[in-house]
Amino acid sequence: MQKILFGLLWVLPALIAWIGWHAETSTTIDIGSSGDSALLTNFHEPESGLTDTYQWYTYRWSRPGAQVTLPAHALPAVLTLRGTVPADGTQVSLDLGTAVSVDLPQQTSLAVRRYHVLWPADSDMLGWAHITIDAQQPAQRAENRSLALLLANITLTSVDGPLRLPPLLAWLLLILLAPLLLWLSQQARLPRTLSLVLALLAGCSVTWLWAWQPWWVQPFLPNMGLALLALLALLGWMRLVWARVYWQPLPRLLLLLVVASGLIPLYLLLKYDLALWLNPVNLPIGAMLLGLLLPFAPAKAQPLLAAGIALVLLLYGLDRYQGAILKGYSTDFTALFRGVHAFLHGGQLYNFEHIRSNSLGDTYKYPPFFVLVLGPFSFLTYDPALQAWHLFNLALLLLAAWLLWRSGGQPLRSWSTLGLLYLLFSFKPLVDTLGQGQADILLLVSLAAALLALQQGRWSWWGACLALPSVIKLYPAYLLLHGLVWQRWQAVLAFAASIIVLTLLSIGLLGWPVHATFAFEVLPLIGGGTAWAENQTFNGWFNRLFTDEIALRPDEPGPARYLTYLAALVVTGLTWWRVRAMPLLDGMGLWIVAMLLVLPIAWMHYQALLVIPFYQLFLRLERDQQPWRWSTVLLYTLAWLLLCYGNQWTFFDRTYAGPLWAALLSYKFYGLLLLYAAIATERWDHKQWIMDNG
């Protein structure tokens, strides 16, 4: 069976690509519609107008030298352009690929016309066909803008032609995609049959999309190919370092993480603007380059390179935190501040009109208890309140770091402490939640305190520590399952008692009506998921695959929601089973990752809580005397690569470019899956388990 699957891995994508290259009979592009900017160069913004039958249509004006890039699957074809040229004497010519040049007749009116041109087979190595629009404009014209051709619609209608091979480079990339994915999954030590099936499904799916919906895949092929090559080269270097460099395990892992964290910034720098290379946001690239040299440099040069890496990361972290703290406006904080300020000054805490119209909009939706936390800040004006909240959260972050360090029990001068500092200075979700004025750092402090209580064997305090984040954001109550697994009923009772005390305190200070409003009117409206790019959960992944628009609005009951429930049950069941073979503290780390996966909505800044499982990783690697499998190290490194950098705007521009693009937008969700798999499949020392669980 494995031999058959391996053969299909090479043959099936090649066959699908060849058949699809000849199966496309017509391609139509509506100019001015969402996503057309990926195919157009040097065009003006979309506009709309009325046809002679009084129907709306969208269009764009091109500038001289503009270019349209189309999938060439339908060629040879009749090209039909729906549009017109300016009525001011402008002479417009079209270059179709490398073989055809056409002069369009001058017009005396702006009436939309149809132009038909026979276009022979002509494409580049990636399967693109290019239309170049040239124009000679008169010296005197009424329009101030530089206009060449109005385009409303482009259609390619295929005509009979000889059989042709797909474009060489595109064909090669599609054929190699599945084997490369197989190699990656084998490096992670997945069962070979499962690896073959997953790689075959992924390769055939992408090839099928390229063949029958080429504009959903074609724009991403070059970047996908370059990204895979860069990733393979990087993994080869990492494997060499892990196998041949005889350092302690934790310093080696930290070096791998530093190098991996520079890959996404490097891609963004090369893709958008090399002139921005001095921007502090690119400092992880400098750390990556120094890290690549460090293990193979002369012994005398290694301390200098290590000091250079530390200095670069320190400057990067300081720059990020400075930008977050000095941020003059925060949409999230504004929504929280507005609601609390209004309530404490006699108004309504919840804006029902706003919540009903869009429960994900910028308005206060937290439980009433959070008023007690933010209330003192609301008596300031907005700007001082925002700065005070930033400084308060920065102090909380330092407290969380101290609590985590205490729970680890390692000396101050240790590699794990250095790793904790690396997390603080390099983990983007921490900076994002600080800059946005969110409450995640308050949750992180509470969970760090719970971890310390667990380390000291104080289950009642552990349950009490979980209560505070649960009355602020509700979802941390999921972590109580960790106490239920081990039947620590004192933790459950302490949690319940603390919830009751905090709720009664909130009711006593704020009144019952606002709590009833939240429980019976607000809460039923805010429990769904969304396809929005920032939602990196199972729900977000399913919703993005089942929609053709990525918008900040709640989902509707349907397949995505039901699959979310199923995934939540499966992940919760797996976690329940797995943590019974893990130390108590590390089991809590796995529950945190599971929680962020199964929530209907978990914005990227929620991932600030992942500081806990990553720090626990550093502690295990520092203490463990047994050699670690490369597959485990690989999973952790890839998870860090995807999670440490970027947010919803890194790759998202509010347009929809097809299901492949929607799947790629879930890159941090894949990082969470890899982190979960790394923790769950790690080899746990039985003696440590006995010592921790008594």
Side-chain angles (χ1 to χ4, degrees), residues 254-272:
L254 289 174
L255 178 63
L256 299 190
L257 300 187
V258 168
V259 171
S261 66
L263 196 60
I264 291 179
L266 179 61
Y267 166 78
L268 295 173
L269 178 65
L270 296 176
K271 178 176 176 60
Y272 292 109

Side-chain angles (χ1 to χ4, degrees), residues 459 480-489 571-591 676 679-694:
W459 277 98
L480 191 63
L481 290 171
H482 190 48
L484 294 175
V485 168
W486 297 107
Q487 300 179 8
R488 297 302 196 265
W489 308 118
V571 171
T572 301
L574 284 174
T575 308
W576 184 288
W577 166 75
R578 188 58 182 138
V579 296
R580 295 186 62 82
M582 295 171 59
L584 290 175
L585 272 67
D586 301 293
M588 183 176 169
L590 185 61
W591 278 114
Y676 183 91
I679 299 173
T681 59
E682 195 175 314
R683 289 175 175 170
W684 296 101
D685 182 65
H686 186 63
K687 293 180 180 179
Q688 182 65 32
W689 181 89
I690 293 176
M691 183 176 66
D692 283 347
N693 297 291

